[in-house]
Amino acid sequence: MATIDDVARKAGVSKGTVSSVFSKKRPISQQVTERVLEVAKELGYFPNHIARSLSIKKTMIAGLRIPLSSDGTMSAFDSQMINGVIKECSKQGYRVLLDTLPEQDDPTLFSQDPVDGIIMLNPRKNDTRIGRYNQMGIPLVLVGRPDPLDDSISYVDNNNTEAAYQVGDYLLRSGHKSVLFLNASSDMTVAYDRKNGLMEAFRHHGLPFSEEHVMHYNRKLHVSGTEYGYMSIMDTFEAMNYSAVITDTDRVALGVLRAARELGIEVPERLSVIALSNDATLAQEINPKLTSVELSADLLGAEAAKLLIEKMNDMSMNRQVIIHAKLVVRESCSTQNSS
Amino acid sequence: MATIDDVARKAGVSKGTVSSVFSKKRPISQQVTERVLEVAKELGYFPNHIARSLSIKKTMIAGLRIPLSSDGTMSAFDSQMINGVIKECSKQGYRVLLDTLPEQDDPTLFSQDPVDGIIMLNPRKNDTRIGRYNQMGIPLVLVGRPDPLDDSISYVDNNNTEAAYQVGDYLLRSGHKSVLFLNASSDMTVAYDRKNGLMEAFRHHGLPFSEEHVMHYNRKLHVSGTEYGYMSIMDTFEAMNYSAVITDTDRVALGVLRAARELGIEVPERLSVIALSNDATLAQEINPKLTSVELSADLLGAEAAKLLIEKMNDMSMNRQVIIHAKLVVRESCSTQNSS
DNA sequence: AAGGGTTATTAAACCGGTTTAATGATCGAA
DNA sequence: TTCGATCATTAAACCGGTTTAATAACCCTT
């Protein structure tokens, strides 16, 4: 590859001049510009992004840290989130660096990434990385609230507690007395928040809430979301007494529907299904159309990107954005059940 | 941020020594190593990835160029492909830079990316970028074959022609005489290859092939894949005479199924559906379970990553990988139709 | 005690850009 | 004609690492 020096030499000008021709930060006369561009073309010269980044201390790259499950696949939620991030970043001229490498805890090996800021998914409890990024002066935005809550950190999240309350309220109002909740993995804050919301709804309606009716997704037990839904119904429908199921994702709901078909349970007549949806288009295409809560993962991603870019421009800025998840009633819930 | 100089000064050693402590490329005595690490910790020093990249001329980043549709969303195929790329890259210590920015054709603005190599999706006909990357000496791997074919380029692709032939053969054997093909966008090589495969099957069975029965996805007409499927059936079922539909993706099949439900057409009794699937788990979860061709986008991605890493280590290396797409019979096709 | 062979460390050059401060050229006004 | 102002260009320093060639320190042998 030709360098800026090669161009400068051949065009008979200085490095600085060539630099200015390309960056346009300083006006260069018509003639000189033309000669430089011509030589550059001749030599096949393109500015080196890394050298430039080193100099201006900016890479125009946003880092996106996603913890992948052990089998290396990402969920529909992840995928839509990424989509949102990319969309917003592209719009503002940023590229996105995906990082799924397990974090090295050996600081000797820990090397700063070539990014101007970082969006981090599913922060852990008391996540030490948050402090580390702060110390390094790298702008950070979380997707999913920090635990414990901390409003000196920028983050975006759904109104999980409220959404779960809403779902519970809707089901109980419709006459359901007992509900199976196929919740997310128990180590996630969303799982905790949602359970609280649902409990609150039961309390509000003066009905007893059974912890046993809350399942948690478990990597070791379930090979996939659909399998989680399928197995949970197969295992519990006989033994437990419920007339409605709330599922963690649309995929889980697909598994529930398959189990219902095999057991000859009519949906929604004998079993109502509500999905906490991460795939807006899927819910309306399956039969029966799924009543669901739209989480808008893409919006979460886009907002996270906006927040990050804001923060890159002003480190002192931090903000929290709550994406309103709301119930969309379709066909998978009965409204006059009272089993 | 503290720099290597700060550490060197405070530890009373030279830059080079500090560098060696972190990179471990040269042995440094026990005592010196300890003092340097201690000072580094004290100062909160982490090696600067960009400076390091500039010096060693390697970033350990693979670029992934995906053309996003105008609404900025990616398809399930894209998403799975990315998944595969990430999985393989992570395994080998590479990170992935997603680039969806439209390519600047103004060479003044065109800046080399901070990547060691590039995986490019859906190359265009006579894609000028291929030559450009070659000229810049950047390792390149395509996902989707180059057009025209060129075996001096590394790429991965499905055996599209063959797969389409297989599908056609299966349907014609089953007694179908007329098939609607909801093909991909007409500017894609896959669309071309698949059509050829299908035509070949008709020829082989001595049946007439009607160009009118091949539709192409069109961004301007269809808001989504499902809508494409839905509308195509609604518009043509009465007028055209077909007993089977081949769809570009599972989502398109979902639209077809919805249209069938609304028109009271039984699947598979009166209409058979086969999806060229990009979402393995979805096909088996919907009702009826979709007979489909598994494209294994994740495998394509993983293979592309492998090829790229190979090529980064040896520029002269180039290889082509064909991922075998094969028909999986489930429930959505009748086998004794002859309408 | 001097010479030869290791080994550990350093100073300086280098990677390929940007930017600052200084220089040179050009022009209009006094 | 000369001075000052404006503008284009340049030389050199800088960004934060790696690496090479030279030096210094050490150990062992004769």
Side-chain angles (χ1 to χ4, degrees):
Chain A
M1 274 298 291
T3 72
I4 200 170
D5 288 288
D6 299 331
V7 177
R9 200 172 314 125
K10 184 149 184 183
V13 297
S14 77
K15 286 174 81 161
T17 304
V18 178
S19 174
S20 303
V21 166
F22 280 87
S23 68
K24 291 178 175 148
K25 293 211 174 165
R26 209 185 325 283
I28 297 294
S29 71
Q30 180 74 24
Q31 324 161 30
V32 176
T33 299
E34 272 173 21
R35 190 163 75 259
V36 167
L37 287 180
E38 196 180 329
V39 171
K41 193 166 191 178
E42 227 174 289
L43 263 42
Y45 167 77
F46 294 104
N48 181 315
H49 186 277
I50 301 167
R52 174 157 215 279
S53 298
L54 177 59
S55 194
I56 65 177
K57 299 178 171 213
K58 248 176 171 253
T59 60
M60 296 303 281
I61 296 177
L64 185 47
R65 292 200 103 97
I66 307 187
L68 283 196
S69 60
S70 50
D71 65 343
T73 59
M74 58 177 133
S75 70
F77 183 90
D78 293 342
S79 156
Q80 298 218 355
M81 224 277 315
I82 294 176
N83 226 312
V85 170
I86 291 178
K87 196 168 163 180
E88 186 61 32
C89 283
S90 295
K91 201 186 293 177
Q92 307 215 30
Y94 281 85
R95 288 179 180 79
V96 174
L97 183 69
L98 278 176
D99 194 349
T100 59
L101 268 51
E103 194 201 13
Q104 286 292 358
D105 270 347
D106 175 3
T108 306
L109 298 174
F110 189 87
S111 169
Q112 203 181 320
D113 272 343
V115 298
D116 294 340
I118 288 178
I119 295 173
M120 194 169 91
L121 248 72
N122 297 335
R124 299 192 281 260
K125 265 192 186 180
N126 300 307
D127 205 313
T128 55
R129 293 172 296 176
I130 298 176
R132 175 135 25 143
Y133 286 131
N134 250 323
Q135 183 202 339
M136 295 201 273
I138 299 179
L140 175 68
V141 170
L142 305 180
V143 176
R145 69 173 177 81
D147 186 11
L149 271 173
D150 178 352
D151 278 2
S152 70
I153 300 173
S154 283
Y155 65 88
V156 298
D157 200 2
N158 283 121
N159 55 338
N160 289 304
T161 310
E162 190 189 326
Y165 176 86
Q166 218 179 328
V167 169
D169 184 55
Y170 173 75
L171 288 174
L172 299 181
R173 254 178 222 282
S174 303
H176 295 274
K177 301 255 182 310
S178 176
V179 173
L180 181 71
F181 184 17
L182 301 183
N183 205 350
S185 170
S186 60
D187 58 353
M188 300 181 68
T189 56
V190 283
Y192 178 81
D193 291 348
R194 286 170 178 171
K195 189 175 107 182
N196 277 348
L198 187 58
M199 279 170 66
E200 180 59 30
F202 272 78
R203 199 175 307 133
H204 182 250
H205 282 260
L207 286 167
F209 180 82
S210 154
E211 292 271 355
E212 284 168 20
H213 281 63
V214 181
M215 310 270 146
H216 288 282
Y217 177 72
N218 185 334
R219 299 216 147 79
K220 287 171 192 146
L221 261 57
H222 313 109
V223 287
S224 69
T226 39
E227 228 37 49
Y228 170 41
Y230 177 79
M231 282 171 54
S232 299
I233 299 300
M234 295 306 257
D235 290 353
T236 66
F237 192 74
E238 296 286 301
M240 291 180 172
N241 189 32
Y242 52 83
S243 59
V245 189
I246 304 171
T247 69
D248 180 30
T249 69
D250 315 80
R251 300 277 169 150
V252 176
L254 279 175
V256 168
L257 290 179
R258 175 154 58 91
R261 278 200 302 278
E262 290 186 13
L263 294 176
I265 307 168
E266 299 91 27
V267 175
E269 292 77 9
R270 277 178 61 205
L271 185 64
S272 293
V273 180
I274 292 190
L276 303 175
S277 174
N278 50 27
D279 188 339
T281 58
L282 182 57
Q284 28 188 323
E285 290 298 335
I286 60 188
N287 187 25
K289 291 177 183 150
L290 277 181
T291 291
S292 66
V293 174
E294 305 289 355
L295 300 182
S296 313
D298 52 342
L299 261 181
L300 280 174
E303 284 301 323
K306 274 185 201 162
L307 247 56
L308 184 64
I309 294 172
E310 260 180 29
K311 188 149 192 177
M312 288 181 199
N313 294 327
D314 174 9
M315 268 301 275
S316 70
M317 158 75 73
N318 61 55
R319 222 150 53 79
Q320 293 75 41
V321 173
I322 301 301
I323 300 290
H324 202 75
K326 77 170 203 291
L327 186 63
V328 179
V329 175
R330 296 202 183 85
E331 308 170 350
S332 62
C333 284
S334 73
T335 51
Q336 44 240 14
N337 200 306
S338 56
S339 89
Chain B
M1 275 296 292
T3 72
I4 200 171
D5 289 288
D6 300 332
V7 176
R9 199 172 313 125
K10 184 149 185 185
V13 297
S14 77
K15 289 175 78 161
T17 304
V18 178
S19 174
S20 302
V21 167
F22 280 87
S23 69
K24 293 179 173 148
K25 293 211 174 165
R26 208 185 326 283
I28 297 293
S29 69
Q30 180 74 25
Q31 322 161 30
V32 175
T33 299
E34 273 172 21
R35 190 162 75 258
V36 167
L37 286 182
E38 195 182 329
V39 170
K41 193 165 193 178
E42 226 175 291
L43 262 44
Y45 167 78
F46 294 104
N48 181 313
H49 186 277
I50 301 166
R52 174 157 215 280
S53 297
L54 177 60
S55 192
I56 66 176
K57 299 179 170 212
K58 247 176 171 256
T59 60
M60 297 302 281
I61 296 177
L64 186 47
R65 294 200 101 96
I66 306 188
L68 284 195
S69 60
S70 49
D71 64 343
T73 60
M74 55 177 135
S75 70
F77 184 90
D78 292 343
S79 153
Q80 299 217 353
M81 224 276 315
I82 295 177
N83 226 311
V85 171
I86 291 178
K87 196 168 162 181
E88 186 61 31
C89 283
S90 296
K91 201 186 295 178
Q92 308 216 29
Y94 281 85
R95 290 180 178 77
V96 174
L97 182 69
L98 278 176
D99 195 348
T100 59
L101 268 52
E103 196 201 11
Q104 284 294 358
D105 271 347
D106 175 3
T108 306
L109 299 175
F110 188 88
S111 168
Q112 204 181 318
D113 271 343
V115 297
D116 294 338
I118 288 179
I119 295 173
M120 196 169 89
L121 248 71
N122 297 335
R124 299 192 281 261
K125 265 192 187 184
N126 300 306
D127 206 313
T128 55
R129 292 171 297 176
I130 298 176
R132 175 138 21 145
Y133 287 131
N134 251 321
Q135 182 201 339
M136 295 202 275
I138 300 179
L140 175 68
V141 170
L142 305 180
V143 176
R145 70 171 176 83
D147 187 11
L149 270 171
D150 178 352
D151 279 3
S152 69
I153 301 173
S154 283
Y155 65 87
V156 298
D157 201 3
N158 284 120
N159 56 337
N160 290 303
T161 310
E162 192 189 324
Y165 175 86
Q166 218 178 329
V167 169
D169 184 55
Y170 173 74
L171 288 174
L172 299 179
R173 255 177 221 280
S174 304
H176 295 274
K177 301 256 184 307
S178 177
V179 173
L180 181 71
F181 184 17
L182 302 184
N183 204 349
S185 171
S186 60
D187 58 352
M188 299 181 67
T189 57
V190 283
Y192 178 83
D193 291 347
R194 287 171 179 172
K195 190 174 108 182
N196 277 347
L198 188 59
M199 280 170 66
E200 181 59 29
F202 271 81
R203 199 174 307 132
H204 182 251
H205 282 259
L207 286 166
F209 181 82
S210 155
E211 292 270 354
E212 283 168 18
H213 281 63
V214 181
M215 309 271 145
H216 289 280
Y217 177 71
N218 184 334
R219 299 218 148 80
K220 285 168 195 149
L221 262 57
H222 313 109
V223 286
S224 70
T226 39
E227 228 35 48
Y228 169 42
Y230 178 79
M231 283 172 54
S232 298
I233 299 301
M234 295 307 258
D235 289 353
T236 66
F237 192 74
E238 296 286 302
M240 292 180 171
N241 189 32
Y242 52 82
S243 59
V245 190
I246 304 171
T247 69
D248 179 30
T249 69
D250 315 79
R251 309 297 264 223
V252 175
L254 280 174
V256 168
L257 291 178
R258 176 155 57 92
R261 278 200 301 277
E262 290 185 13
L263 293 176
I265 307 167
E266 298 90 28
V267 175
E269 292 77 8
R270 278 177 62 204
L271 185 65
S272 293
V273 179
I274 292 191
L276 303 174
S277 173
N278 50 28
D279 188 339
T281 59
L282 183 55
Q284 27 187 322
E285 290 298 335
I286 60 189
N287 189 25
K289 290 177 185 151
L290 277 180
T291 290
S292 66
V293 174
E294 306 289 355
L295 301 181
S296 313
D298 51 342
L299 261 182
L300 280 174
E303 283 300 323
K306 273 184 200 162
L307 248 56
L308 184 64
I309 294 172
E310 261 180 29
K311 189 150 190 175
M312 288 181 197
N313 295 327
D314 174 9
M315 268 303 275
S316 72
M317 159 74 75
N318 60 55
R319 223 150 53 80
Q320 292 76 40
V321 173
I322 301 300
I323 300 289
H324 201 74
K326 77 168 203 291
L327 185 63
V328 180
V329 175
R330 297 201 183 86
E331 309 170 348
S332 63
C333 284
S334 73
T335 52
Q336 43 241 14
N337 201 305
S338 58
S339 88

